[in-house]
Amino acid sequence: MADSDEAGGCGCTGDSKRAEKDPAYRRALWIVVLLNLGFGACEIIGGFIADSQALKADSLDFVGDGTITLVGLIALGWAAAARARIALVQGIFLLTLGLGVIGVAFWRALTAVAPEAELMGGIGVVALLVNVVSALVLSRFREGDANVRAVWLFSRNDAVANVAVIGAAGLVAWTGSAWPDLAVAAVIALLFLHSAYEILRGARAELREHSLAA
């Protein structure tokens, strides 16, 4: 859990031009920012209490989504080159998160201890509800251009990841093994890396265009 105007191609921050002109769309994005950052902070704590790597990874997904969208909103009205540089920083941020989650998952695999499945599943359910609310808030805008549809799809896809966390909790409870938790954490980390790649590719392309136009 943007294009040229939205963090360089990942579809995370929506259409900056529309957000400048449409107060309702901008309010919807702010609601999504607050939901993502607020619940992300709570889920980080829950991940440590439950000792679940999947919850920790999912919490970073919330924080990453919220941060990227927040920066995109703050950067409204900035020059395109400045937004591209911000997107580059966002991409590096996501890349760092993804590599960190994978590194921790490998380290935990050496001393795998099953997390608290009930707490893990309960937090996963709340995370799913938060993403469903985010998707509903954005659903009225999903028929806009590609940028607008992308930000709605981003929340919808995050909800799918939450279902995976809930499923992993069930497998942990059934098998008493930590491996389902670690597997879901790795998958979420790979989503981080994919998003980072898309953002960095778009941001670098924009910076090259501005360099040639200068």
Side-chain angles (χ1 to χ4, degrees):
M1 183 275 322
D3 57 301
S4 60
D5 280 334
E6 46 172 328
C10 82
C12 320
T13 60
D15 185 345
S16 61
K17 292 182 180 179
R18 178 172 184 173
E20 285 184 286
K21 299 176 181 178
D22 187 345
Y25 181 56
R26 189 164 58 248
R27 282 195 298 271
L29 290 176
W30 275 110
I31 290 172
V32 171
V33 167
L34 294 174
L35 286 172
N36 276 273
L37 292 181
F39 184 76
C42 295
E43 193 176 23
I44 287 175
I45 297 172
F48 278 101
I49 294 174
D51 199 20
S52 167
Q53 301 310 305
L55 286 181
K56 293 174 186 176
D58 194 50
S59 70
L60 292 178
D61 187 30
F62 272 100
V63 172
D65 291 354
T67 301
I68 287 174
T69 307
L70 174 62
V71 173
L73 283 168
I74 293 174
L76 287 177
W78 291 11
R83 290 202 305 272
R85 294 189 188 95
I86 289 295
L88 198 63
V89 174
Q90 292 171 330
I92 294 171
F93 171 68
L94 276 184
L95 178 64
T96 302
L97 288 180
L99 292 175
V101 170
I102 289 177
V104 171
F106 274 118
W107 175 72
R108 287 302 302 272
L110 299 176
T111 57
V113 177
E116 295 185 24
E118 291 185 1
L119 181 57
M120 178 184 171
I123 295 175
V125 170
V126 178
L128 176 60
L129 291 175
V130 171
N131 271 318
V132 168
V133 171
S134 295
L136 289 174
V137 168
L138 295 168
S139 63
R140 60 180 289 201
F141 304 103
R142 70 181 184 276
E143 298 303 329
D145 61 18
N147 300 333
V148 176
R149 289 194 302 273
V151 71
W152 178 76
L153 289 172
F154 211 72
S155 290
R156 190 194 68 178
N157 292 342
D158 285 349
V160 174
N162 297 143
V163 172
V165 172
I166 296 169
L171 289 174
V172 167
W174 181 41
T175 64
S177 169
W179 288 105
D181 178 55
L182 296 174
V184 170
V187 170
I188 294 174
L190 290 176
L191 293 177
F192 268 106
L193 297 181
H194 176 72
S195 295
Y197 169 75
E198 293 294 333
I199 293 172
L200 291 171
R201 184 180 65 172
R204 291 180 64 185
E206 278 200 24
L207 289 172
R208 282 196 300 271
E209 289 176 8
H210 292 305
S211 177
L212 293 173

